[in-house]
Structures are given as C-alpha cells and as structure tokens.
Amino acid sequence: MDPVDPVDPEDPADGGEPVPPTEPALLPVLRELRAREPLFHRPELGTGAEDLEQQMAPDFFEVGASGRRYGRRFVMDVLLRRYAEGGDDPWQTSGFHCRALGADTYLLTYTLRQGPRLTRRVTAWQRTPRGWRVLYHQGTPVT
C-alpha cells in the first residue's frame, strides 16, 4: 500500500473510517518506520540481544492484547526465545499513519493481519544519533 494512500479498501475492519492522511512533510519518516514494522517481526534488523538492546529504549514497555504491561527485559527474553525457535511468521500490514509527537519522536499506527488475527498497532518511535529506537508499543485485537 502506498504511504500517501492510507485507506486499505481490502480491510473490512476499517468500518468506513479512513486512516487520516500523514502530513506530507512526515512521509520520509513514515517510509523509514514502515520498514521497521511490524515491530520485532523484521529479522533483517537483528535478532540478537545486542540488536534488541539498541532498538529498545531503556524504559521501553508494551501493552499486550490482554491489557497486561510487559517490560523491556520480559519482551527481550520472549523475543530471543522466538528468534531461536525460528519458523514462519507470515503477516500483512496496512493503514499506516505517522504523527509527530515532539522533537524526533513519532507515533506510528497501522493494522496487522497474522492469519485470521487482526490487530491495530501503535508504536512510539524516537530518532537518535544511533538510529531509531522504540519507546512504547501496543496491539489491540479487532473484534
């Protein structure tokens, strides 16, 4: 899907509500962040502990579909086990939107389809001198 066309006509979960357009000045940021999502499902960004350390802010946390909060260490342990096990991880993304929250801090929202499971995702990103790092992430199932 083209980042300047944020509506996915194939996504029945849109319910007629289009994704708001990303400001044209933010389209380069949107393109960079799209290449990093879905978060932690991009092995080309690294699958080792050092890779994850660099990608995640020290105070990173996420909220899972259950509503539970998971800290950085827990998420890293789960990811390292998942990466070690390998296997297929087919997914599709759509409906990306990017919004500036402050200096070098951005909110990225999108829809993720993994087989029959459909979730809305939100990730807060920060651009640092060492590259992008994630501050916060949440996935909410579409029912």
Side-chain angles (χ1 to χ4, degrees), residues 21 36 95 113 116 122:
R36 304 189 74 81
R113 181 178 298 280
V122 59

Side-chain angles (χ1 to χ4, degrees), residues 8-127:
D8 182 358
E10 301 296 317
D11 185 352
D14 276 340
E17 293 291 328
V19 175
T22 295
E23 292 180 25
L26 292 178
L27 290 178
V29 172
L30 175 64
R31 286 183 190 100
E32 287 182 46
L33 294 179
R34 277 183 67 158
R36 304 189 74 81
E37 297 281 359
L39 183 63
F40 306 131
H41 292 266
R42 297 278 193 171
E44 66 271 20
L45 298 176
T47 59
E50 287 181 23
D51 302 313
L52 295 173
E53 291 274 347
Q54 185 172 334
Q55 292 177 50
M56 298 161 73
D59 60 347
F60 167 83
F61 71 97
E62 73 174 41
V63 174
S66 66
R68 290 191 176 111
R69 185 174 32 242
Y70 300 100
R72 185 177 195 251
R73 180 79 262 153
F74 178 85
V75 171
M76 286 181 63
D77 290 346
V78 168
L79 290 170
L80 291 171
R81 279 194 306 274
R82 180 196 310 161
Y83 295 150
E85 291 170 4
D88 284 341
D89 184 21
W91 49 263
Q92 294 176 300
T93 55
S94 62
F96 281 88
H97 177 260
C98 183
R99 175 182 307 237
L101 296 178
D104 295 318
T105 305
Y106 302 89
L107 185 72
L108 186 73
T109 59
Y110 62 99
T111 301
L112 174 65
R113 181 178 298 280
Q114 294 171 289
R117 185 174 188 219
L118 191 67
T119 55
R120 300 284 189 212
R121 300 289 175 118
V122 59
T123 311
W125 287 97
Q126 181 180 48
R127 188 191 324 248

